Amino acid sequence: MIEVRSTTIIRGLVGITALFGLLGLGAELLRYLGGHDHAVLRLLSLSYEGNLPSWYASALPLLCAALLAVIAAGADTDRGHWRMLALGFVYISIDEAVGLHEMLGELFETTGLLRFGWVMPAAAIVLTVGLACVGFLRRLDRPTARRFVLAGALYVTGAVLFELPLGWWTEQHGADNLGYALIDWCEETLEFGGLTLFAATLLRCLHGRTLRVTAGAASR
């Protein structure tokens, strides 16, 4: 049986997130300022799909979904909200893995800031979910609610709002340049930061508990 404290997991998540951010930034600078185009740089770039950062971008929301499911199983109140959020993060994980939002974007013929047209339905979904969770957030203790709101703000800023300048820049200058890479890096880093903060807050909701993993089952 392996026992891991939640604080250890939080430190690990923060460290991995920071590492991916720094390595990703370094990869872009080496590619566009140093003139290097090695496969290792593409493996670490936050602008590429099918590499290590894209795997992490899918794994983080899946971790959040699992933690939400654990909390929902033991919740006395708002169990439906916890489960709804768990399902939402499963969707985010799938979307990061297969790019569902990019397929949705093909339905819109927009230009300029709205070049990536999927941001319009995404903004509507964010607003709907936010309004649906107002009462839920009010029933949480204030520190947890504040962290949830901050985590959500960071994630939405990266995943939705940063698509606006990225779309404009892509239309004006293309996608193979340092400007695009830096905007995309900011976008992905904000997403990582929001997901990491959210996962850390969920782990704090399991305060003082040890995660126990055995060969046959998992419990806490």
Side-chain angles (χ1 to χ4, degrees):
M1 181 174 63
I2 302 173
E3 296 188 353
V4 183
R5 302 294 297 182
S6 60
T7 52
T8 302
I9 300 175
I10 292 173
R11 293 192 192 101
L13 287 174
V14 172
I16 294 171
T17 296
L19 182 63
F20 271 119
L22 291 172
L23 289 176
L25 179 60
E28 305 303 350
L29 294 177
L30 284 172
R31 286 181 65 218
Y32 291 106
L33 296 182
H36 302 287
D37 193 23
H38 196 277
V40 173
L41 300 182
R42 295 191 294 274
L43 184 68
L44 298 173
S45 171
L46 272 62
S47 295
Y48 278 78
E49 302 293 336
N51 60 5
L52 290 176
S54 63
W55 163 80
Y56 189 59
S58 179
L60 262 180
L62 194 60
L63 171 63
C64 291
L67 293 171
L68 286 162
V70 170
I71 293 172
D76 296 324
T77 59
D78 289 311
R79 186 171 292 181
H81 281 92
W82 292 112
R83 288 174 174 171
M84 178 190 72
L85 288 171
L87 290 174
F89 277 89
V90 169
Y91 172 82
I92 291 173
S93 176
I94 295 171
D95 181 49
E96 290 288 352
V98 303
L100 294 176
H101 65 281
E102 294 175 358
M103 300 177 192
L104 179 63
E106 295 176 2
L107 300 176
F108 301 90
E109 295 183 3
T110 50
T111 59
L113 289 173
L114 294 176
R115 186 178 192 278
F116 302 124
W118 63 266
V119 300
M120 293 184 290
I125 292 171
V126 168
L127 180 60
T128 302
V129 172
L131 291 174
C133 289
V134 169
F136 168 67
L137 290 169
R138 286 177 175 173
R139 288 187 291 273
L140 292 173
D141 62 90
R142 288 189 176 182
T144 298
R146 282 196 295 267
R147 292 188 184 103
F148 277 6
V149 170
L150 177 57
L154 288 172
Y155 183 80
V156 170
T157 298
V160 180
L161 295 182
F162 257 75
E163 286 290 295
L164 302 179
L166 187 66
W168 178 86
W169 184 275
T170 303
E171 192 168 275
Q172 297 295 319
H173 307 286
D176 190 17
N177 52 72
L178 181 60
Y180 177 94
L182 291 178
I183 296 172
D184 199 42
W185 178 84
C186 290
E187 174 184 324
E188 298 295 334
T189 302
L190 284 168
E191 291 182 31
F192 283 169
L195 289 169
T196 300
L197 176 58
F198 190 70
T201 305
L202 293 174
L203 286 163
R204 288 191 177 96
C205 290
L206 302 171
H207 177 67
R209 302 180 188 182
T210 302
L211 304 179
R212 295 182 176 87
V213 181
T214 65
S219 62
R220 57 177 176 79

